[in-house]
Amino acid sequence: MSGSTFGKLFRVTTWGESHGAAIGAVIDGCPAGLPLNESDIQTFLDRRKPGQSKYTTKRNETDQAEILSGVFEGRTTGTPISIIVRNQDQRSRDYGNLAYTYRPGHADYTFTQKYGIRDYRGGGRSSGRETIGRVAAGAIASLLLKELGIELAAYARSIGPVSVPEDEYRFSEITENSLYMPNNQAAAKAAEYLDSLIAAQDSCGGTIECQVAGLPAGLGEPVFDKLDACLAKAVMSIGAVKAVEIGEGLHAASLTGSINNDAFASENGRIYKKTNHSGGVLGGMSDGSTLIVRAAVKPTPSISREQQTVTEDGEETSISIHGRHDPIIVPRAVVVVEAMTALTLADLLLENMGSRLDKVKAYYTEEKNVQ
Ligand SMILES: Cc1cc2nc3c(=O)[nH]c(=O)nc-3n(C[C@H](O)[C@H](O)[C@H](O)COP(=O)(O)O)c2cc1C
């Protein structure tokens, strides 16, 4: 099994290797009638493509999305949507000397142990390029959510030691700096830190946060498919993500109940929470407030500094990786976290439609009236 399919009703399968002919996704279960064209997908893909700044890899990939099926006259038809992105500028010779050597921090050793064969060119299926399929599918999920008034915003909350405190978030600045931080001053500081790492032939990690506004209460299926459990799986499946938090996350462990609990209040018959330590999830279901998901991303494993390792035969050697790699993964992974969040929500939204008899009845009664 390759574990390449995600979701139950809004289902995505990603395929392709980083140095193969192409990479892409098949999305099945998208309702018919959603307006969709290639530029909708391209806008998302452009946010993850390399070469956007000196902090992202210099590979010159245009990553042009082509829709092969599932769309007719600018609308989804309800049949599988197939998207292809042909690989370009793949210099496989950059990787030739790595064919028999295990790169520290990469999946080379585990792929060899599991399959006995691996595509060593750029990590094959474990490459960051695999996320192209996720982002293309996430673009469609986001459009579906938008139709329902649900909006997502993702950004780099911290890079190395530079973190943006919540009260200094300025969302309009996210697209004004190449690091996608919600504060230009913090981004300038982070850029200085990255310059020092480049000089030291090293890399760093950071955190990505995604906020979702406009979610109705009740999304998520107790008990194994709770919203937070599904989000954790979705976001943790992104390469280099090492932890996922919802709301207070790890910090909740050091709080008291009286602080961590969100008090309920009511205004004109509308029930709401006065605070949002829960991050928008209670009992595994959305609670109607803003959903807050956070991902910790490890430092880029490929560094040009010399590291100790072994060959496939167990012979000790050293390695310094001079291919084209990001000194920080975070800026390019921001849209990937957003995409995986959107895919999770689109799937749970469709699943939630069958949760109550009155709603099922209303749906079919309405349908009859339409026919
Ligand atoms: C968008 C994205 C881009 C990435 N780019 C690189 C890169 O340029 N160089 C690198 O060494 N790792 C990169 N990675 C991370 C590796 O794919 C990942 O760390 C590796 O496969 C090992 O998997 P693990 O970190 O989940 O254990 C990237 C990951 C993502 C999500």
Side-chain angles (χ1 to χ4, degrees):
M1 287 292 278
S2 64
S4 293
T5 300
F6 179 81
K8 283 192 203 161
L9 299 180
F10 193 101
R11 211 170 159 82
V12 56
T13 301
T14 71
W15 54 266
E17 290 82 26
S18 78
H19 285 58
I23 217 151
V26 177
I27 300 99
D28 203 4
C30 181
L34 180 72
L36 179 67
N37 58 49
E38 279 162 1
S39 67
D40 295 321
I41 293 165
Q42 201 58 49
T43 310
F44 269 68
L45 286 180
D46 286 350
R47 288 167 59 197
R48 74 154 293 293
K49 80 175 181 194
Q52 297 178 64
S53 76
K54 65 174 164 170
Y55 308 116
T56 58
T57 173
K58 305 294 178 290
R59 289 187 302 265
N60 180 26
E61 298 157 357
T62 47
D63 292 345
Q64 285 296 321
E66 199 183 321
I67 298 175
L68 299 181
S69 67
V71 179
F72 180 64
E73 294 182 340
R75 282 178 186 270
T76 57
T77 57
T79 59
I81 303 165
S82 191
I83 298 167
I84 185 171
V85 172
R86 288 172 211 281
N87 287 327
Q88 291 166 344
D89 192 41
Q90 309 305 350
R91 297 198 318 216
S92 299
R93 65 177 181 277
D94 280 352
Y95 299 94
N97 63 337
L98 301 175
Y100 304 105
T101 309
Y102 294 136
R103 293 168 302 165
H106 276 283
D108 304 342
Y109 172 71
T110 42
F111 260 84
T112 304
Q113 292 303 304
K114 184 174 176 71
Y115 295 106
I117 179 172
R118 76 184 154 93
D119 182 347
Y120 56 79
R121 305 162 305 167
R125 192 75 183 133
S126 72
S127 159
R129 278 189 74 69
E130 180 272 333
T131 62
I132 285 178
R134 297 167 186 251
V135 171
I140 301 172
S142 295
L143 287 175
L144 177 62
L145 296 176
K146 206 171 174 188
E147 290 281 330
L148 301 168
I150 300 165
E151 301 269 357
L152 296 91
Y155 43 88
R157 181 184 159 112
S158 70
I159 284 182
V162 183
S163 158
V164 186
E166 239 172 270
D167 55 359
E168 291 176 23
Y169 284 176
R170 288 195 279 276
F171 290 112
S172 62
E173 295 182 13
I174 295 172
T175 49
E176 289 176 9
N177 62 81
S178 59
L179 299 176
Y180 293 105
M181 290 185 103
N183 184 306
N184 286 337
Q185 262 180 318
K189 252 198 221 165
E192 263 175 50
Y193 178 67
L194 289 175
D195 286 338
S196 74
L197 285 176
I198 291 171
Q201 299 179 302
D202 216 338
S203 62
C204 76
T207 58
I208 296 168
E209 195 165 85
C210 181
Q211 296 203 14
V212 186
L215 275 183
L219 293 193
E221 303 296 317
V223 289
F224 292 117
D225 292 334
K226 289 177 173 171
L227 173 56
D228 36 5
C230 292
L231 284 169
K233 176 171 181 175
V235 175
M236 195 71 129
S237 74
I238 303 168
V241 169
K242 294 296 129 194
V244 178
E245 293 184 321
I246 309 287
E248 288 293 341
L250 278 176
H251 185 230
S254 63
L255 298 178
T256 58
S258 58
I259 291 175
N260 191 55
N261 290 344
D262 299 306
F264 282 107
S266 158
E267 203 177 274
N268 302 327
R270 188 183 74 89
I271 294 173
Y272 67 96
K273 287 156 46 213
K274 286 186 169 175
T275 52
N276 192 19
H277 299 286
S278 77
V281 187
L282 282 173
M285 290 165 277
S286 55
D287 66 15
S289 46
T290 301
L291 178 72
I292 301 171
V293 189
R294 210 170 298 116
V297 181
K298 77 179 189 181
T300 316
S302 289
I303 51 176
S304 50
R305 188 187 283 206
E306 195 167 284
Q307 302 173 86
Q308 293 307 302
T309 187
V310 295
T311 64
E312 281 187 8
D313 299 329
E315 199 182 309
E316 292 204 1
T317 184
S318 65
I319 189 171
S320 61
I321 301 168
H322 293 292
R324 296 158 294 166
H325 299 281
D326 309 4
I328 172 92
I329 292 167
V330 167
R332 293 182 55 215
V334 163
V335 68
V336 187
V337 170
E338 188 176 313
M340 290 312 295
T341 303
L343 285 167
T344 307
L345 293 173
D347 195 37
L348 291 176
L349 266 162
L350 296 182
E351 203 168 358
N352 189 46
M353 288 171 68
S355 65
R356 283 162 62 156
L357 179 61
D358 56 349
K359 287 187 182 166
V360 176
K361 271 185 172 171
Y363 173 81
Y364 281 102
T365 314
E366 211 174 286
E367 280 290 284
K368 264 194 203 131
N369 291 342
V370 170
Q371 283 165 3

